[in-house]
């Protein structure tokens, strides 16, 4: 049986490169995207399959994605969107909800839906987060909010998935040269002379994370350097006598 991978946001900038890379590595790739024509054309090119689904809708995972999957080895939860504004005053409710829906719900619903399939194959999930999930991003605070949520979710859910035989890890790229970086944002980046990541660099990091990433690990991806495992800092512990440096116990379910 050939290995099967699914890529959300598969018709986008990083997604397209990742789909092609996985196909070259011998995977049969399922491309999930709302851009039907682009997804279908890409799927034909790699002899895979295209699924038109909204990752922010739990019903789409249950009704449009899962019925088409009999086996799964790798899930790349890659779909993501910006709000396009630094100003909360100018932020439309629809843009806010869409960003949270795709970036957060798309990961949570995807992990929940696909984990049982991956449990059978002892498979892997790689989430595309962002450097904006590790530092602030004043140019799009809500995007940064969503990526911080993703980082916390992956780190927190990793132990329970590991117990089920499923490994979840993530990549946290900086600014990449994709259609998401366009207009005034691209102009400002070019004016500052700041280097953009090539989509191929991010796709390579995702493949590396799928192959070598530890549960809950975050790979930082920056232009011109190899992906590096991010060292999350410890936080100060309690100083109560008898409990110095203690960590919270597991809470009852």
């Amino acid at each position: 049986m050939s290995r099967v991978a699914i890529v959300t946001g598969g018709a986008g900038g990083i997604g397209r490169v990742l789909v092609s890379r996985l196909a070259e590595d011998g995977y049969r790739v399922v491309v999930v995207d709302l851009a039907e024509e682009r997804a279908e054309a890409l799927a034909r090119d790699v002899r895979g399959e295209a699924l038109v689904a909204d990752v922010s809708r739990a019903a789409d995972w249950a009704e449009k994605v899962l019925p088409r999957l009999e086996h799964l080895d790798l899930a790349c939860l890659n779909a993501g969107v910006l709000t396009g504004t630094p100003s909360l005053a100018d932020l439309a409710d629809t843009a806010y909800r869409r960003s949270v829906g795709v970036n957060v719900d798309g990961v949570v619903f995807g992990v929940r839906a696909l984990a049982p399939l991956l449990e059978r194959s002892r498979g892997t999930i790689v989430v595309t987060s962002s450097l904006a999930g590790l530092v602030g991003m004043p140019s799009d605070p809500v995007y940064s909010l969503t990526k911080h949520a993703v980082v916390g979710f992956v780190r927190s859910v990793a132990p329970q998935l590991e117990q089920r035989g499923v490994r979840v890890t993530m990549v946290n790229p900086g600014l990449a040269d994709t259609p998401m970086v366009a207009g005034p944002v691209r102009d400002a980046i070019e004016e500052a002379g700041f280097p953009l990541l090539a989509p191929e660099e991010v796709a390579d990091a995702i493949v590396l994370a799928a192959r070598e990433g530890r549960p809950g690990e975050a790979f930082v991806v920056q232009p011109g350097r190899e992906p590096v495992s991010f060292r999350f800092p410890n936080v100060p512990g309690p100083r109560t006598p008898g409990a110095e440096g203690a960590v919270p116990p597991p809470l009852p379910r």
Side-chain angles (χ1 to χ4, degrees), residues 154-211:
V154 170
R155 296 183 72 200
S156 301
V157 81
Q160 64 175 274
L161 290 180
E162 186 179 14
Q163 290 179 354
R164 297 169 57 183
V166 179
R167 181 166 48 95
V168 60
T169 184
M170 61 186 143
V171 296
N172 294 68
L175 293 169
D177 189 5
T178 71
M180 286 180 64
V181 179
V185 174
R186 178 178 290 276
D187 294 341
I189 292 170
E190 291 178 348
E191 184 177 347
F194 189 83
L196 291 172
L197 281 162
E200 289 78 6
E201 292 178 279
V202 183
D204 286 345
I206 293 171
V207 172
L208 173 68
R211 186 175 62 244

Side-chain angles (χ1 to χ4, degrees), residues 113-124:
L114 300 177
L117 271 176
L118 292 163
E119 188 174 351
R120 299 176 203 164
S121 63
R122 302 191 68 82
T124 300

Side-chain angles (χ1 to χ4, degrees), residues 17-41:
V17 176
L18 178 59
V19 166
S20 297
R21 173 66 191 277
L22 292 174
E24 290 172 0
D25 286 351
Y27 284 93
R28 183 178 74 81
V29 187
V30 179
V31 183
V32 179
D33 207 292
L34 283 173
E36 183 174 2
E37 290 185 4
R38 293 205 309 269
E40 290 181 347

Side-chain angles (χ1 to χ4, degrees), residues 28-95:
R28 183 178 74 81
V29 187
V30 179
V31 183
V32 179
D33 207 292
L34 283 173
E36 183 174 2
E37 290 185 4
R38 293 205 309 269
E40 290 181 347
L42 178 60
R44 284 195 299 271
D45 288 343
V46 300
R47 297 182 181 179
E49 182 178 3
L51 298 180
V52 179
D54 185 343
V55 298
S56 70
R57 297 186 68 249
D60 277 20
W61 284 101
E63 299 168 8
K64 297 181 179 181
V65 177
L66 284 180
R68 304 285 288 274
L69 297 173
E70 296 181 358
H71 175 83
L72 188 64
D73 298 283
L74 173 63
C76 297
L77 303 181
N78 171 73
V81 295
L82 297 164
T83 69
T85 179
S87 171
L88 286 180
D90 297 331
L91 178 66
D93 290 353
T94 52

